[in-house]
Amino acid sequence: SLKETGSLERVLLRKFEEEVEEKEIKMGKQEQLRFDLIIVSRFHNKELLPDIGRTLAPGGYLLYHTFMMECARPVKEELKLKPGYLSSLASRNEGPWGGLDLEVIRDDVGTIPGTAGKVGGEKRIFSYFVARKKKDR
């Protein structure tokens, strides 16, 4: 939940939500704010998955790069991904991305060497996920 997220993340999320709401109000309820590119980096909050799907424009790209379960940090498991999780969401007809018609371009796991003094020096394991929302026909 957002309460468990760090204070900076809470502020950024609140600011983003306010901006989206303000722009959607100005545009009118008939239209939704759409993005051609959404980048999620080193952050995973399941509560935002429906919003990500809703605001991704037809033909738009989603780049998702965050911690995997095997990574020592962050400690909270809800902030990390299991291998194949995002691909499984993209292929379902239900759930947060249900019916979005996402084409998975890349779904890999990679490692980044740890930095001594930071994160205990252990390697960090990340997702590398790229998908494209198919254009409306």
Side-chain angles (χ1 to χ4, degrees):
S1 77
L2 294 179
K3 291 177 186 175
E4 296 170 349
T5 307
S7 60
L8 176 59
E9 288 87 357
R10 279 196 306 270
V11 169
L12 292 174
L13 284 171
R14 196 173 313 118
K15 178 91 172 129
F16 174 76
E17 289 169 350
E18 288 170 2
E19 286 180 16
V20 168
E21 185 177 331
E22 179 182 325
K23 287 178 182 175
E24 285 183 341
I25 288 170
K26 285 180 182 176
M27 291 169 38
K29 292 293 180 185
Q30 306 84 350
E31 297 182 53
Q32 283 185 325
L33 189 59
R34 300 281 186 183
F35 297 98
D36 293 322
L37 174 65
I38 296 177
I39 300 171
V40 178
S41 182
R42 296 181 154 200
F43 181 80
H44 175 64
N45 184 326
K46 289 182 182 181
E47 293 178 20
L48 294 177
L49 292 174
D51 292 330
I52 290 170
R54 180 179 59 83
T55 58
L56 186 61
Y61 288 87
L62 170 62
L63 283 65
Y64 212 106
H65 172 70
T66 196
F67 304 99
M68 298 298 293
M69 281 294 181
E70 298 86 359
C71 199
R73 295 183 188 174
V75 176
K76 295 178 183 175
E77 288 193 8
E78 63 269 14
L79 300 177
K80 301 188 266 186
L81 294 178
K82 293 179 181 174
Y85 175 74
L86 295 175
S87 284
S88 72
L89 287 180
S91 66
R92 292 184 192 160
N93 286 327
E94 55 202 40
W97 292 347
L100 287 183
D101 206 12
L102 290 175
E103 171 192 3
V104 177
I105 297 168
R106 180 179 181 184
D107 187 8
D108 297 324
V109 175
T111 61
I112 299 173
T115 306
K118 290 186 178 180
V119 195
E122 73 271 358
K123 65 182 177 181
R124 291 170 277 174
I125 304 164
F126 284 91
S127 68
Y128 296 94
F129 179 84
V130 180
R132 182 176 171 270
K133 186 173 183 179
K134 295 180 183 174
K135 292 187 178 187
D136 294 334
R137 296 174 192 184

